[in-house]
Amino acid sequence: MSEEIKKQWSEETLEAVDKLCLFDDDIMSLVFDRNIEATEYLLNTIFERSDMKVIEVVGQREYKNPVVGGRCITIDIYAVDSTGKVYDIEVQRADSGAVPQRARFHSAMVDTRMLKEKEKFKEIKDSYVIFITQNDVMKGDLPLYHVERVVKEQNRDFGDGSHIIYVNGAYKNDDTEIGRLVHDFGCVRAADMYNEILKKQVHYFKETEGGREVVCQIIDDVAESRA
């Protein structure tokens, strides 16, 4: 980074950028925004597939609550695949940001936009709320946790198409695809990452002059809004 650019930002801002990884929504949203290839890699890894096709992906998409005074949300990554299924992908460093009630609320907010007027309820596509958490919030030492509604008396899935998945960012096994994915999410340097798609994007936003300027501005804007 040039001396001129260094002078433009405080040491505090530059240090904050250096510490960012994909568990921070500021950098995560930039890396995946409009990036079909990176999002396909992410979803294929989580779903243990290789054929998922993403047709739309947007970072930091806001969902307004139609209720006056109701809480709105901004989802880190909004994605749609070739079958019309919708994905709300969230990253969380703090366990408090991934409580079950938040997953429920996000799922409900996403579903409200999935049917147009006069469309039948059975036409609604599946929706997935995916939390990628830095810690093992479910405390099961597993890489993935799938949450589904079930009919308890019949021991079967309810089948409403609403799904919640927790990805354990503390899972350590670099011999698996999911292990390498969460490893990369925790890296603060692109050189330490496995996946070339993510490595390229993280390198740009954290280690090139143009990319760092974008991230520095976001960090300063967030700090100013909280002041």
Side-chain angles (χ1 to χ4, degrees):
M1 181 175 285
S2 68
E3 289 301 317
E4 181 178 348
I5 296 301
K6 285 182 180 179
K7 292 177 183 178
Q8 184 177 349
W9 308 104
S10 68
E11 286 298 321
E12 185 178 21
T13 297
L14 293 172
E15 288 177 8
V17 173
D18 288 338
K19 294 176 181 178
L20 289 176
C21 67
L22 290 176
F23 285 116
D24 297 289
D25 55 9
D26 291 330
I27 188 75
M28 186 264 201
S29 295
L30 288 172
V31 166
F32 286 92
D33 183 36
R34 315 290 176 179
N35 193 327
I36 297 290
E37 188 178 22
T39 308
E40 286 181 344
Y41 161 69
L42 177 68
L43 291 176
N44 274 309
T45 301
I46 292 172
F47 286 91
E48 300 180 281
R49 293 173 53 177
S50 60
D51 60 343
M52 293 182 69
K53 300 297 181 184
V54 173
I55 62 172
E56 181 184 4
V57 56
V58 181
Q60 294 295 301
R61 179 165 180 171
E62 187 175 12
Y63 274 67
K64 293 284 189 180
N65 195 320
V67 177
V68 176
R71 181 163 183 169
C72 303
I73 62 171
T74 299
I75 62 180
D76 293 338
I77 296 294
Y78 167 88
V80 182
D81 72 13
S82 58
T83 68
K85 295 175 182 176
V86 174
Y87 304 84
D88 167 9
I89 308 166
E90 304 289 322
V91 290
Q92 290 295 329
R93 278 190 181 271
D95 293 2
S96 59
V99 295
Q101 292 83 356
R102 183 173 186 174
R104 171 187 169 185
F105 190 77
H106 273 241
S107 181
M109 289 287 282
V110 169
D111 285 350
T112 60
R113 294 196 181 184
M114 292 183 65
L115 280 181
K116 296 180 180 178
E117 187 178 4
K118 297 184 179 180
E119 285 186 324
K120 298 181 184 299
F121 288 114
K122 67 179 181 181
E123 296 178 50
I124 194 169
K125 300 293 185 180
D126 284 16
S127 66
Y128 294 83
V129 174
I130 301 172
F131 280 103
I132 305 174
T133 61
Q134 187 171 33
N135 302 315
D136 184 8
V137 299
M138 292 294 189
K139 311 299 183 185
D141 198 28
L142 297 172
L144 297 166
Y145 302 93
H146 296 81
V147 182
E148 303 286 340
R149 287 191 176 99
V150 298
V151 182
K152 294 173 66 174
E153 289 78 7
Q154 296 176 314
N155 193 30
R156 65 176 178 85
D157 288 341
F158 185 42
D160 64 343
S162 177
H163 313 276
I164 297 169
I165 299 173
Y166 283 82
V167 181
N168 175 14
Y171 180 71
K172 304 296 184 185
N173 187 344
D174 290 2
D175 291 330
T176 65
E177 285 295 325
I178 193 68
R180 288 189 286 272
L181 172 67
V182 297
H183 166 274
D184 285 358
F185 264 68
C187 291
V188 298
R189 297 194 317 145
D192 296 329
M193 302 175 77
Y194 286 110
N195 184 264
E196 293 297 329
I197 304 167
L198 300 184
K199 181 185 294 188
K200 178 181 177 181
Q201 290 296 96
V202 169
H203 170 73
Y204 172 74
F205 284 111
K206 291 197 60 180
E207 299 165 11
T208 70
E209 190 168 294
R212 280 179 71 89
E213 279 197 83
V214 172
V215 182
C216 283
Q217 187 63 64
I218 290 174
I219 294 294
D220 275 9
D221 287 347
V222 170
E224 184 176 339
S225 69
R226 293 174 178 171

